[in-house]
Amino acid sequence: FISQVTVGAMPDMITFNHAGTKVLTANEGEPNTEYTNDPEGSISVIDISGGLVGLSQGQVTTISLTGFNGQEATLRASGIRIFGPNASVAQDLEPEYIAISDDDQTAWVTCQENNALLVIDLATNAVVNLLPLGTKDHSLPGNSIDVNDQSDAIQMANWPVHGVYMPDAITYFQVGGTEYVITANEGDAREWDGYSEVDRLNNATYMLDTVVFPYPEVIKANLGRLNVTFASGDADGDGWYEEIHTYGGRSVSIWDATTGTLVWDSGDDMELMIAQHPVYSAIFNASNANNGFKNRSDDKGPEPEGVSVAAIDDQLYAFIALERMGGCMVYNITDPSAPVFVTYVNTRSLVAYGGDQGSEGILYIPAASSPSGQPILILANEVSSTLSIFGVTVNTPTPIEMSSLTARAEGKWNRLEWITYREDAGDRMVIERSSNGADFLKIAELSAEGKAESYTFIDKQPITGANHYRLQLVNVDGTISYSNVATAWQEVSKKGQLRVFPNPASDKLKVIVNGGQEVRASLTVLDITGHQVYAEELRQTQTTIDLEQVPAGTYFLKYVDTQHTEVVKFTRQ
């Protein structure tokens, strides 16, 4: 024992500045279980420049957040979550994790439950900004999620849901003189005996605004298991939610450190990479307490919690610890606006529940400080009480790196375009297509040129309606990564071969195919999210579909034979 000092209530994270002259703590100030005592959040700065022996309370500056008190309405309007029962802003803000600039002049502090970043001037020990982080729109391409912990299949899909980033760990880095912070968007609900913000979307008490969601019963039927918050999403306070807010981003994000503007988010990468993993797809979205398939799909998915950034061979890499799935994902973030997935490693057991579980803390040790002379990455696994220690090797050749894939319709064909700015001879690009954005099939393959190059591919046999494309980037060393998803639309045939009535329909929908149909024709009914709710093989020119078990809402009837595809929209009332 050397010395001790007092800081703010419930310090959650502690770190040194780069010069080793200061220690900072993020004092979360969480409430008691009954929510009758809610301490103020704060940040403490301890001056240790004079040494640790004889350290006194006079070397401690605890930065108060009371200057924000009275600004509740303004902060809420900006997107900052201030919602604890009877809490002032200072009580409601809960500092979680700290990142410090390379010059030791500025600190960024995540306030996880509040979905915000505090910016601290370390020269004056004063708060200079409080930045809202906004939400992530899961209805957009590239932001799909799996929402149901009860189904027996992985169902990545876009939904009208907003993820509240709510980051835990944060790390600072610079590229070209521009300052950035990267966050692990874990998500963390307030869930206490005295107050809980958690609800299931299908609960009757969680009511959707019918102007924004004309068919709320369809949304609830498909997304009912998803955990949501009733503390945000109801902007006008009338008890009807205009936005569905769920916890976390299931991602990492890079932000402009000065403005708080989102530069890049990993989108649905983490869930997709695990879903396609040759080993860990078997326990997709498992918890750190069991190997249950999709156990966490209804609540934050793989749950990224820790993040560390390292410079290796003139490249910048981000290492991300996944609290629930375990293990570490790695991205090359040398271009902060277009990071590239590198690899995923995990040391939990599939044969039986065991191995390393619950990775949370993460530490990168450069080669110069490593006892082996090789860079080391350490994961602290809080559930198994173990450390995972990895030697870090940068593989050669490097992964394919590319700009975004784009797709557009040109008459009856679809044109795909992309540019690579790093590739090796022997690399391959597999072009995949999907009708629902989740189930992709290979349609073509191109060999890389071995140098930065522009590529074009023409799909001469697109499907009717939405065509979702992505590239499987196969590196010469066998590693695989994926591009973003791009979408092009082909108009529905104007032949008018398919007729349905009545429309809107009640319990029965009559279907007539004009001009006959082929032996191999089929009918399917899809909901607005692309999920199949009915299918049959069509054996005659007309049929009647029983809709009694189909919830009210908007649907698409799809007819397919070997020569023709047609889609008709109808309403079940």
Side-chain angles (χ1 to χ4, degrees):
F1 176 81
I2 299 174
S3 59
Q4 69 177 36
V5 290
T6 300
V7 296
M10 302 177 69
D12 189 87
M13 186 267 188
I14 186 169
T15 189
F16 288 85
N17 68 350
H18 301 287
T21 58
K22 295 179 180 179
V23 172
L24 281 71
T25 64
N27 309 314
E28 190 169 11
E30 286 187 318
N32 63 348
T33 301
E34 293 76 22
Y35 226 113
T36 55
N37 180 19
D38 187 4
E40 293 180 351
S42 62
I43 298 92
S44 294
V45 181
I46 308 163
D47 182 353
I48 60 170
S49 57
L52 299 176
V53 177
L55 190 66
S56 71
Q57 197 63 34
Q59 272 71 59
V60 180
T61 300
T62 293
I63 301 171
S64 171
L65 304 178
T66 56
F68 292 107
N69 288 349
Q71 301 179 35
E72 288 84 354
T74 301
L75 294 173
R76 290 188 188 109
S78 74
I80 295 172
R81 304 175 82 234
I82 306 295
F83 63 98
N86 305 312
S88 66
V89 177
Q91 289 175 306
D92 206 74
L93 290 174
E94 296 186 1
E96 184 84 20
Y97 209 97
I98 304 170
I100 300 176
S101 62
D102 291 341
D103 62 7
D104 284 339
Q105 295 301 299
T106 309
W108 290 263
V109 184
T110 56
C111 293
Q112 185 171 27
E113 287 79 1
N114 313 101
N115 196 39
L117 291 181
L118 282 164
V119 185
I120 310 292
D121 184 338
L122 293 178
T124 60
N125 289 336
V127 178
V128 295
N129 216 339
L130 179 57
L131 303 171
L133 297 180
T135 61
K136 177 175 178 175
D137 189 348
H138 288 297
S139 70
L140 298 178
N143 284 349
S144 64
I145 53 174
D146 187 296
V147 299
N148 191 342
D149 63 336
Q150 300 296 305
S151 65
D152 57 2
I154 298 172
Q155 297 173 310
M156 296 293 294
N158 293 108
W159 301 101
V161 171
H162 287 254
V164 186
Y165 290 103
M166 304 173 75
D168 189 315
I170 181 172
T171 297
Y172 168 93
F173 66 100
Q174 278 192 64
V175 174
T178 301
E179 297 184 303
Y180 301 94
V181 289
I182 182 170
T183 59
N185 305 317
E186 177 196 18
D188 192 16
R190 281 183 172 148
E191 197 169 7
W192 307 93
D193 291 346
Y195 172 82
S196 174
E197 62 172 305
V198 181
D199 208 350
R200 293 276 189 190
L201 198 153
N202 62 0
N203 282 353
T205 54
Y206 189 84
M207 299 181 294
L208 297 176
D209 188 308
T210 54
V211 175
V212 180
F213 303 102
Y215 302 101
E217 63 280 0
V218 176
I219 300 294
K220 291 199 169 200
N222 284 283
L223 285 82
R225 290 287 303 170
L226 185 66
N227 278 322
V228 296
T229 174
F230 61 75
S232 58
D234 177 17
D236 57 14
D238 65 354
W240 298 82
Y241 289 84
E242 300 86 26
E243 286 188 352
I244 301 169
H245 286 182
T246 190
Y247 302 98
R250 308 190 183 196
S251 63
V252 287
S253 297
I254 294 175
W255 313 84
D256 184 297
T258 302
T259 64
T261 303
L262 180 65
V263 175
W264 171 83
D265 182 84
S266 63
D268 50 16
D269 278 7
M270 292 185 175
E271 282 183 285
L272 285 176
M273 295 303 175
I274 296 170
Q276 296 157 359
H277 196 280
V279 175
Y280 292 102
S281 58
I283 55 169
F284 172 81
N285 277 355
S287 178
N288 54 17
N290 57 63
N291 278 354
F293 182 67
K294 296 184 58 171
N295 182 263
R296 299 293 295 180
S297 283
D298 62 329
D299 190 16
K300 298 179 282 188
E303 218 161 312
E305 177 154 348
V307 60
S308 182
V309 172
I312 310 174
D313 294 347
D314 298 322
Q315 299 288 303
L316 273 178
Y317 295 90
F319 301 90
I320 303 102
L322 304 186
E323 181 182 6
R324 296 294 175 171
M325 270 301 300
C328 173
M329 285 200 169
V330 185
Y331 280 83
N332 185 318
I333 60 169
T334 306
D335 179 355
S337 64
V340 177
F341 175 80
V342 176
T343 191
Y344 174 55
V345 292
N346 200 339
T347 47
R348 71 184 288 169
S349 173
L350 270 71
V351 177
Y353 172 73
D356 296 320
Q357 303 282 352
S359 59
E360 181 169 341
I362 187 167
L363 176 66
Y364 175 82
I365 300 174
S369 301
S370 166
S372 65
Q374 179 187 25
I376 290 174
L377 185 75
I378 303 178
L379 298 182
N381 303 290
E382 64 175 347
V383 175
S384 57
S385 299
T386 57
L387 298 178
S388 308
I389 303 176
F390 299 96
V392 178
T393 301
V394 178
N395 292 326
T396 302
T398 56
I400 303 172
E401 296 185 29
M402 56 169 281
S403 63
S404 294
L405 171 69
T406 62
R408 67 178 184 271
E410 292 184 347
K412 295 182 179 180
W413 297 349
N414 288 339
R415 175 183 292 271
L416 280 64
E417 296 178 333
W418 67 96
I419 299 173
T420 62
Y421 51 90
R422 175 175 291 173
E423 61 182 65
D424 293 288
D427 289 342
R428 295 178 292 117
M429 303 172 197
V430 178
I431 300 163
E432 299 179 338
R433 184 179 63 203
S434 167
S435 62
N436 59 13
D439 303 311
F440 285 84
L441 295 174
K442 174 182 175 180
I443 61 171
E445 182 176 312
L446 298 179
S447 296
E449 296 292 330
K451 57 183 176 60
E453 189 62 79
S454 299
Y455 290 87
T456 299
F457 174 79
I458 304 297
D459 182 6
K460 295 185 177 181
Q461 295 181 313
I463 57 179
T464 302
N467 289 257
H468 304 285
Y469 298 96
R470 73 179 180 192
L471 301 178
Q472 183 188 82
L473 308 174
V474 184
N475 299 294
V476 68
D477 65 353
T479 59
I480 294 174
S481 60
Y482 289 86
S483 73
N484 62 295
V485 175
T487 302
W489 284 83
Q490 283 291 325
E491 293 296 326
V492 174
S493 171
K494 305 299 183 182
K495 294 181 181 178
Q497 186 168 318
L498 191 65
R499 292 176 54 212
V500 300
F501 59 89
N503 190 5
S506 294
D507 294 336
K508 307 291 182 183
L509 181 72
K510 187 149 190 173
V511 182
I512 296 178
V513 183
N514 293 330
Q517 90 289 333
E518 299 185 14
V519 175
R520 297 179 61 186
S522 65
L523 285 177
T524 54
V525 175
L526 310 173
D527 65 20
I528 58 173
T529 66
H531 286 73
Q532 180 177 298
V533 298
Y534 176 86
E536 74 167 87
E537 183 179 338
L538 193 61
R539 300 180 180 276
Q540 52 192 5
T541 58
Q542 58 181 284
T543 188
T544 299
I545 298 176
D546 186 351
L547 300 176
E548 289 187 6
Q549 302 303 315
V550 177
T554 300
Y555 294 88
F556 299 92
L557 179 70
K558 184 175 182 180
Y559 168 86
V560 179
D561 62 32
T562 58
Q563 302 296 322
H564 176 64
T565 297
E566 189 170 345
V567 178
V568 173
K569 182 167 70 172
F570 72 92
T571 301
R572 160 79 160 99
Q573 59 183 9

